[in-house]
């Protein structure tokens, strides 16, 4: 059943929430260009388009459409009923439940909405149906323009095996490997042995790291192959794989290409996407650091040759893997859609690639020729995910309780589909936003990038913001020495043990609690039923002659004792104490604090300096953002909140994140060895294998296939030996 959600369309100044407008500066600021095409030769753009996607990419497309006076239609699933893309669109339609297969992947429902609304074109965004050849064909067969390449081009380049043969014929170098149709396990293992370990198993129709496994020895091959096939069939409906040589020191360098219906093909230079986790990009930059102009020219030329080889049209990205030792590069795959990281290219070429897509889909020539395209400065993009880097980057879900972002400017863009109060769902990708920063050169851009990351502060769930900043501060990253194994290579530097908090940070946390108490008391003064209302003396912080707060961070307890300072009405003295030894770490005298009414930050005069910090109180946490970064303090759990322990045996295995049970591979009473696979979980469209931490006997299996399970819940318990 399709449900209509529509609204009256106001002017562009009022149709979009103010907060979203502040985060999405008009694309015209950086992206307006004149074409050599005579104006009267240009075909008119569409009056109305449908965006068959959700989140930030749907909003990104809508923003350009709004600038061009094009009406937009959104589709959404039940959990996305209040999503920002639904609010921003001129019309929005419910197309199904949470499962993508019944909503965002349902071709018939999307086509029906397009017909019903009179949409002249469909933009697929990225992910979901964006590289589905059947969808592209169905859209065109319905006399609706598809804002992307043809189904034939998708089929040719979407198959990693077929695309390799096409590239070889076009003179584009490819990685040694087996790309054929024989999927027999024994045969594939023989091919891996011929290629030489380590090898990479990749889903033929894969992308985004899904269905990709590194195999370092023959003993791992069967298990990795089976896991790859399971993930591939879930993500792409096809479990065919290819096997390639795995380069030990590779860089991921890709080239943005664009083609029109008039035989014009250009490249918009390259991006480096080498910093990755779980084979998914974390930081992208343009141009790629350390390339000679000759190498840059060759990359662009080969990318254009790849596009021409399949008669490509619209936006695409040719991905290369480059050996960082000899700088030789090999074709990896072509993404037949607009990439997640397209904003970094826009920033260094002063283009609006969504506008280019609309022009090409309408039948117009490319807005610029290759000779007109120039690199301007340097740009970085960070993919901000709801995930926990210290726990193997496992995804997180939950509400965005508090969100502070860097101020948008011509050099800072924040592409997001969420605002404060929204929830990151278990059903879809955990990416919250993309932070894009531009500078005159790499050093300038990197300095701005680090500062913007400092100003990006989220409370409510785990994010990778702090981790990205740590990467951006690493000496090798600063030098531009990036490889796909960067995170693993510098793991010790990037995942250092947490240091003890600075005493000033502890003082700021206590300050925030005092100010919160003061605020509550002031509210109570206006309540005739409150005992405070009968107190004729005005409440002052220094009326608290002795106040003690207890905190824990990184499993270490601290105390902050606050007492009145007689020198001034609003001054406090603070004693910071290590609760394990009961020794004083530092004392502060004459501390004064207040909340800035304009930005909500706490202004503190402490230790002969004035500090401005963001302190967020969330449940039993006090989160301080200050000059030392982010520090989370735990308050003691109130006694009334303590309940019975979760059902457990002598030992148990718990969920590392909110997830769905995909496979249960053991039974109650079964004897297992350490390292045996117990359960396979599915979260954020990725598969996670849970192995036995010890040898023993299974006592209870607490969930079944298909169950949705919260984080930190026991999955199985072990019997007492």
């Amino acid at each position: 059943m399709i449900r209509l959600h529509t609204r009256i369309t106001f002017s562009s100044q009022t149709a979009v929430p103010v907060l979203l407008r502040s985060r999405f500066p008009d694309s015209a600021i950086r992206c307006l260009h004149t074409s050599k095409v005579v104006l009267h030769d240009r075909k008119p753009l569409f009056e109305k388009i449908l965006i068959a996607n959700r989140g930030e990419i749907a909003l990104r497309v809508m923003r350009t459409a709004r600038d061009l006076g094009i009406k937009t239609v959104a589709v959404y699933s039940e959990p996305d009923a209040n999503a920002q893309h639904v609010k921003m669109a001129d019309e929005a339609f419910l197309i199904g439940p949470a499962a993508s297969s019944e909503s965002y992947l349902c071709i018939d429902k999307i086509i029906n909405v397009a017909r019903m609304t009179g949409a002249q074109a469909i933009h697929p965004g990225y992910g979901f149906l964006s590289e589905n050849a059947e969808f592209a064909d169905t859209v065109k067969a319905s006399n609706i323009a598809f804002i992307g390449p043809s189904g034939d081009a998708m089929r040719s380049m979407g198959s990693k095996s077929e695309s390799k043969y096409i590239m070889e014929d076009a003179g584009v170098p490819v990685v040694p490997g087996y790309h054929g149709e024989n999927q027999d396990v024994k045969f594939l293992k023989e091919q891996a042995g011929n290629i030489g370990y380590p090898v990479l198993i990749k889903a033929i129709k894969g992308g985004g790291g899904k269905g990709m496994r590194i195999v370092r020895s023959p003993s791992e091959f069967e298990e990795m192959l089976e896991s790859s096939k399971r993930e591939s069939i879930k993500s792409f409906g096809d479990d065919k794989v290819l096997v390639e040589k795995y380069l030990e020191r590779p860089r991921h360098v890709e080239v943005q290409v664009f083609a029109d219906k008039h035989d014009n093909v250009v490249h918009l230079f390259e991006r480096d996407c080498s910093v990755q986790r779980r084979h998914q990009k974390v930081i992208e930059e343009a141009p790629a650091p350390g390339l000679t102009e000759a190498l840059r020219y060759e990359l662009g030329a080969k990318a254009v040759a790849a596009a021409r080889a399949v008669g490509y049209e619209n936006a695409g990205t040719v991905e290369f893997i480059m050996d960082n030792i000899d700088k030789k590069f090999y074709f990896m795959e072509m993404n037949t859609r607009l990439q997640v990281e397209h904003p970094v290219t826009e920033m260094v070429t002063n283009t609006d690639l969504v506008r280019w897509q609309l022009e090409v889909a309408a039948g117009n020539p490319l807005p610029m020729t290759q000779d007109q395209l120039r690199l301007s400065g340097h740009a970085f993009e960070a993919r901000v995910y709801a995930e926990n880097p210290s726990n193997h980057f496992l995804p997180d879900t939950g509400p965005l309780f508090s969100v502070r972002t860097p101020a948008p400017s011509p050099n800072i863009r924040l592409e997001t589909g969420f605002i404060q109060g929204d929830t990151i769902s278990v059903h879809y990708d955990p990416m919250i936003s993309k932070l894009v920063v531009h500078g005159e050169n790499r050093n300038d851009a990197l300095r701005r990038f680090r500062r913007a990351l400092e100003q990006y502060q989220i409370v409510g769930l785990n994010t990778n913001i702090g981790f990205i900043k740590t990467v951006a501060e690493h000496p090798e990253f600063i030098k531009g020495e990036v490889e796909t194994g960067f995170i693993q290579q510098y793991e010790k530097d990037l995942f250092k043990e947490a240091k003890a908090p600075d005493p000033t940070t502890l003082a700021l946390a206590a300050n925030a609690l005092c100010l919160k108490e003061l605020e509550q008391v002031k509210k109570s003064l206006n309540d005739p039923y409150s005992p405070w209302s009968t107190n004729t003396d005005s409440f002052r912080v220094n009326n608290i002659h002795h106040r003690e707060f207890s905190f824990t961070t990184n499993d270490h307890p601290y105390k902050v004792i606050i007492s009145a300072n007689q020198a001034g009405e609003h001054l406090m003295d603070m004693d910071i104490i290590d609760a394990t030894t009961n020794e004083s770490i530092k004392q502060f005298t004459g501390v004064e604090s207040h909340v800035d009414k304009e930005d909500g930050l706490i202004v503190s005069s402490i230790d002969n300096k004035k500090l401005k910090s963001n302190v967020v109180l969330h449940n039993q946490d006090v989160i301080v953002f200050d000059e030392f970064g982010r520090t989370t303090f735990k308050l003691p759990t109130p006694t009334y909140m303590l309940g019975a322990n979760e059902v457990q045996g002598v030992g148990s295995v718990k969920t590392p994140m909110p997830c769905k049970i995909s496979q249960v591979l053991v039974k109650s009473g079964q004897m297992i060895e350490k390292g045996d696979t117990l359960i396979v979980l599915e979260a954020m469209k990725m598969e996670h294998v849970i192995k036995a931490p010890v040898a023993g006997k299974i006592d209870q299996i607490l969930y079944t296939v298909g169950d949705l399970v919260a984080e930190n819940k026991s999955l199985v318990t072990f019997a007492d030996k």
Side-chain angles (χ1 to χ4, degrees), residues 29 33 57 93 125 221 282 302 376 422 444 449 451 456 458 471 489 494 654 694 714:
I29 292 175
H33 293 279
I57 185 57
F93 290 80
F221 190 86
V282 179
K302 294 299 184 184
S376 175
D422 288 348
D444 183 48
F449 186 52
R451 177 58 176 152
Y456 200 175
I458 294 177
V471 172
Q489 183 178 356
L494 301 176
K654 296 188 176 184
V694 294
S714 291

Side-chain angles (χ1 to χ4, degrees), residues 382-564:
R383 298 193 190 190
V384 177
Y385 284 99
E387 65 182 15
N388 188 350
S390 61
N391 189 20
H392 309 289
F393 296 96
L394 291 178
D396 200 1
T397 61
L400 295 168
F401 176 77
S402 174
V403 178
R404 281 184 177 271
T405 66
S409 73
N411 288 312
I412 296 178
R413 283 170 60 176
L414 188 64
E415 305 276 357
T416 181
F418 303 95
I419 61 173
Q420 182 171 294
D422 288 348
T423 297
I424 305 300
S425 165
V426 69
H427 303 293
Y428 308 114
D429 189 89
M431 190 172 74
I432 299 171
S433 66
K434 302 178 310 196
L435 176 64
V436 192
V437 179
H438 179 265
E440 294 180 4
N441 52 52
R442 192 173 189 273
N443 288 336
D444 183 48
L446 191 52
R447 185 186 67 254
R448 295 172 188 260
F449 186 52
R450 289 193 294 262
R451 177 58 176 152
L453 288 165
E454 287 177 3
Q455 296 170 330
Y456 200 175
Q457 301 165 358
I458 294 177
V459 172
L461 39 64
N462 291 300
T463 77
N464 62 343
I465 295 173
F467 173 78
I468 294 171
K469 184 172 179 290
T470 302
V471 172
E473 292 171 338
H474 195 279
E476 294 302 308
F477 186 85
I478 292 172
K479 289 192 292 186
E481 293 296 331
V482 290
E483 298 175 0
T484 57
F486 185 91
I487 292 175
Q488 293 85 352
Q489 183 178 356
Y490 299 107
E491 186 174 4
K492 290 183 179 179
D493 298 336
L494 301 176
F495 296 97
K496 292 179 180 178
E497 288 189 15
K499 297 179 180 178
D502 190 90
T504 306
T505 306
L506 279 155
L508 292 172
N511 266 345
L513 293 177
C514 281
L515 291 170
K516 184 67 175 178
E517 287 185 357
L518 177 59
E519 178 188 359
Q520 291 172 339
V521 169
K522 286 181 177 179
K523 288 179 180 178
S524 298
L525 290 175
N526 297 320
D527 180 359
Y529 299 100
S530 168
W532 287 99
S533 64
T534 60
N535 190 342
T536 57
D537 294 330
S538 61
F539 178 82
R540 300 184 317 172
V541 172
N542 68 335
N543 284 144
I544 304 175
H545 294 291
H546 186 88
R547 186 74 169 88
E548 182 177 309
F549 293 105
S550 296
F551 301 100
T552 301
T553 183
N554 302 319
D555 297 323
H556 194 99
Y558 297 90
K559 290 190 296 186
V560 179
I561 298 175
I562 298 176
S563 56

Side-chain angles (χ1 to χ4, degrees), residues 217-245:
S217 69
S219 62
E220 299 178 330
F221 190 86
E222 284 91 346
E223 182 181 355
M224 290 296 188
L225 177 62
E226 185 180 347
S227 178
S228 171
K229 283 179 170 289
R230 277 199 307 268
E231 196 167 276
S232 301
I233 198 74
K234 289 176 185 175
S235 299
F236 313 110
D238 192 327
D239 67 352
K240 292 188 181 69
V241 300
L242 55 83
V243 183
E244 291 182 338
K245 179 66 180 174

Side-chain angles (χ1 to χ4, degrees), residues 137-209:
D137 291 343
T138 304
V139 171
K140 291 185 178 180
S142 303
N143 293 318
I144 300 170
F146 183 75
I147 305 172
S150 67
D152 288 341
M154 286 187 188
R155 273 181 279 270
S156 295
M157 301 308 277
S159 169
K160 287 182 170 57
S161 55
E162 182 182 348
S163 64
K164 293 290 194 297
Y165 296 128
I166 294 173
M167 292 303 102
E168 286 177 332
D169 291 342
V172 180
V174 299
V175 179
Y178 175 72
H179 313 126
E181 292 295 319
N182 191 337
Q183 295 292 299
D184 178 72
V185 175
K186 184 178 179 181
F187 176 79
L188 290 175
K189 189 172 183 179
E190 288 176 356
Q191 296 303 307
N194 294 336
I195 295 166
Y197 289 91
V199 297
L200 190 65
I201 300 174
K202 296 167 67 175
I204 282 177
K205 294 187 176 178

Side-chain angles (χ1 to χ4, degrees), residues 13-25:
Q13 294 299 312
T14 58
V16 184
V18 172
L19 184 53
L20 279 176
R21 283 188 58 80
S22 70
R23 294 179 180 183
F24 297 111

Side-chain angles (χ1 to χ4, degrees), residues 19 35 88 161 214 326 406 469 471 538 557 620 649 651 657 686 707 717 721:
L19 184 53
S35 171
M88 188 176 184
S161 55
I214 299 171
D326 60 15
K469 184 172 179 290
V471 172
S538 61
Q620 292 303 112
M657 79 216 91
M686 297 288 284
D707 286 349
T717 62
K721 295 181 180 178

Side-chain angles (χ1 to χ4, degrees), residues 610-625:
K610 184 165 285 190
L611 304 172
K612 207 169 190 180
S613 56
N614 180 27
V615 184
V616 180
L617 310 181
H618 180 231
N619 297 330
Q620 292 303 112
D621 292 347
V622 181
I623 301 95
V624 180
F625 297 93

